[in-house]
Amino acid sequence: MSQASKGLEGIVAGQTAVAIIDEAGGGLQYRGYRLSDLTDHATFEEVAHLLLNGHLPTEQEYQDYLARLAALRDLPGALKSVLEQIPASAHPMDVLRTGVSMLGCLEPEGKDRNGLSIATRLVACLPSMLMYWYQVSHEGKKIDVTAGGNTIAAHFLSLLGGGAASATHQKALDVSLILYAEHEFNASTFTARTVTSTLSDFYSAITGAIGALRGPLHGGANEAAMELMQRFDTPEAAEKGILEALATKQKIMGFGHRVYKHCDPRSDVIKVWAKRLADENETGKKLFAVAERIEQIMRREKDLFPNLDFYSAVVYHQCGIPTPLFTPLFVMSRVTGWSAHILEQRADNRIIRPTSEYIGERNLTVAPRAERG
Ligand code: COA
């Protein structure tokens, strides 16, 4: 009988004080704070401060933090030159992976720059990196990345749209960034911790995490969910299409979860925002109706629930965000959780090196090449 747990399901692979997923108890908590309390009473920047510095900021700390993030938005000229050479056809996740790697060459970790300062720098400048490339490659515009409002959500939306976004769009995006910020030992965070455990540098851990997040079974699910929903004009068409997909054993992106067994509490929060935005216009109402029908079918046919990615896609679409930028938004948020885990791993490190159950052949003899067949 197999000793191995496929996909490491159910394996406790380490300790953390950053977050807990407690489906039966208090739900998802970041450093002891319930997620619903944070989405109701805090901003993404307060949550970033909590994850990275270990406590919620006071008013003065908050204002200083906002100012610090705004001051760290600009990009070095050499990084802009690299971004200018990446074609419009590139996936934006590859752009972020490359951008972070280049920043690591220009602003390496060392005695003047520690992990926490790199984390803060990345929180501040990932939107700049993405949108500088996006505007230059798609519109031929070299934008001023320091412009925009004083939050990450406002900054990103203003670089995308060329001006201040509506307060509702800013708030919806801010809430989604809080929801995406941290989720204990998910695949990308575990990747970051594994890279860190070899005593590698901060940027290598983050680029590894971006690579892990890119796949549709993880962060890429929000883009895949949007592409799926856009195939259907009506709830009836969605019902037919989803039943056909399930009949051929296809996975429906944005549903199911390795850890949650009954519901993803983050989905309930973001669904409220998806509906609020949808109620404002006819196209949104149509999209939301399609999404809700898909949810009903998945519950009825597979007993599966939407995860955070499903209704986040509905929110992002209604904020006017192009689908290929959905997973990069996840990066802009999760960089806070990744960074908190990298710092935690470093504080009590041991190299992460599991073992495998060998299922191959043994004791074969090397024959001369002429005799091999
Ligand atoms: N659509 C259809 N069926 C699904 C499904 C989905 N989204 N998610 C799980 N299932 C089914 C599987 O086909 C499998 O059925 P089977 O036992 O009849 O073969 C069963 O549920 C268990 O799925 P499995 O892929 O083994 O679960 P996992 O714990 O390894 O994977 C996910 C968890 C999240 C990767 C998986 O649910 C999934 O692929 N979801 C879609 C991608 C997604 O939304 N990812 C974002 C996660 S936040």
Side-chain angles (χ1 to χ4, degrees):
M1 208 168 98
S2 174
Q3 306 281 307
S5 164
K6 196 169 178 194
L8 297 183
E9 180 168 6
I11 302 291
V12 177
Q15 295 185 318
T16 184
V18 183
I20 179 173
I21 299 174
D22 181 9
E23 205 174 1
L28 173 60
Q29 304 192 9
Y30 297 169
R31 295 204 185 277
Y33 292 94
R34 275 197 216 95
L35 190 64
S36 53
D37 213 7
L38 292 169
T39 50
D40 286 350
H41 302 295
T43 64
F44 171 66
E45 287 71 19
E46 287 173 81
V47 169
H49 190 285
L50 169 70
L51 291 170
L52 292 172
N53 297 287
H55 66 274
L56 284 168
T58 62
E59 181 59 34
Q60 188 57 53
E61 283 173 328
Y62 180 59
Q63 295 305 333
D64 292 348
Y65 196 53
L66 288 181
R68 178 131 187 267
L69 289 173
L72 288 170
R73 281 178 185 170
D74 209 1
L75 304 172
L79 174 52
K80 287 183 182 166
S81 303
V82 166
L83 295 170
E84 283 163 22
Q85 288 168 59
I86 304 178
S89 59
H91 194 285
M93 287 294 278
D94 298 346
V95 175
L96 283 184
R97 194 192 59 222
T98 305
V100 170
S101 200
M102 180 64 181
L103 193 67
C105 299
L106 300 170
E107 300 177 4
E109 191 165 9
K111 64 177 168 23
D112 303 330
R113 209 173 278 113
N114 65 20
L116 183 58
S117 69
I118 293 170
T120 311
R121 170 77 161 131
L122 289 172
V123 173
C125 80
L126 285 174
S128 312
M129 226 181 251
L130 181 72
M131 293 320 298
Y132 185 82
W133 163 76
Y134 187 81
Q135 295 292 7
V136 89
S137 63
H138 288 74
E139 308 293 337
K141 286 193 276 190
K142 294 185 182 180
I143 56 168
D144 171 12
V145 291
T146 61
N150 71 342
T151 65
I152 302 291
H155 182 217
F156 171 82
L157 288 172
S158 116
L159 295 184
L160 176 67
S166 79
T168 321
H169 286 177
Q170 287 185 32
K171 184 63 191 160
L173 185 56
D174 189 77
V175 168
S176 101
L177 294 176
I178 295 175
L179 297 172
Y180 268 130
E182 164 54 14
H183 217 211
E184 53 116 283
F185 275 30
N186 58 85
S188 56
T189 301
F190 193 61
T191 302
R193 288 191 80 126
T194 304
V195 175
T196 302
S197 80
T198 70
L199 302 185
S200 187
D201 74 303
F202 208 92
Y203 296 94
S204 296
I206 299 290
T207 50
I210 293 173
L213 190 72
R214 191 186 191 291
L217 295 190
H218 192 8
N222 55 16
E223 293 178 29
M226 190 67 232
E227 282 155 16
L228 176 77
M229 284 182 256
Q230 281 185 309
R231 280 196 238 145
F232 310 119
D233 283 335
T234 61
E236 293 69 34
E239 172 130 17
K240 186 168 174 288
I242 297 298
L243 288 176
E244 282 167 8
L246 291 178
T248 53
K249 298 241 168 268
Q250 288 175 47
K251 274 196 167 175
I252 307 303
M253 296 302 159
F255 285 86
H257 200 271
R258 168 60 66 77
V259 181
Y260 296 118
K261 295 302 170 206
H262 305 291
C263 78
D264 179 342
R266 304 168 301 172
S267 172
D268 297 343
V269 179
I270 204 65
K271 185 178 175 183
V272 169
W273 280 95
K275 169 111 177 61
R276 195 171 291 171
L277 297 179
D279 284 344
E280 288 176 3
N281 65 85
E282 286 312 308
T283 327
K285 280 187 192 133
K286 262 172 65 181
L287 176 64
F288 190 80
V290 164
E292 270 208 313
R293 181 66 68 90
I294 297 176
E295 179 183 350
Q296 284 164 13
I297 300 160
M298 291 301 286
R299 286 190 193 276
R300 186 185 75 209
E301 301 292 322
K302 301 286 293 183
D303 197 20
L304 283 173
F305 50 87
N307 56 49
L308 172 58
D309 291 313
F310 190 66
Y311 283 105
S312 296
V314 179
V315 165
Y316 290 168
H317 184 75
Q318 294 183 92
C319 288
I321 300 169
T323 305
L325 302 187
F326 288 7
T327 318
L329 274 167
F330 194 156
V331 174
M332 287 174 206
S333 163
R334 186 59 62 84
V335 70
T336 57
W338 290 336
S339 300
H341 280 273
I342 293 169
L343 298 174
E344 187 179 60
Q345 180 70 33
R346 283 180 171 180
D348 186 19
N349 187 56
R350 191 168 185 213
I351 191 166
I352 295 174
R353 201 301 187 192
T355 50
S356 63
E357 178 191 356
Y358 181 68
I359 55 165
E361 297 191 82
R362 292 172 196 246
N363 303 325
L364 301 177
T365 304
V366 180
R369 276 199 295 278
E371 292 171 23
R372 293 176 206 161

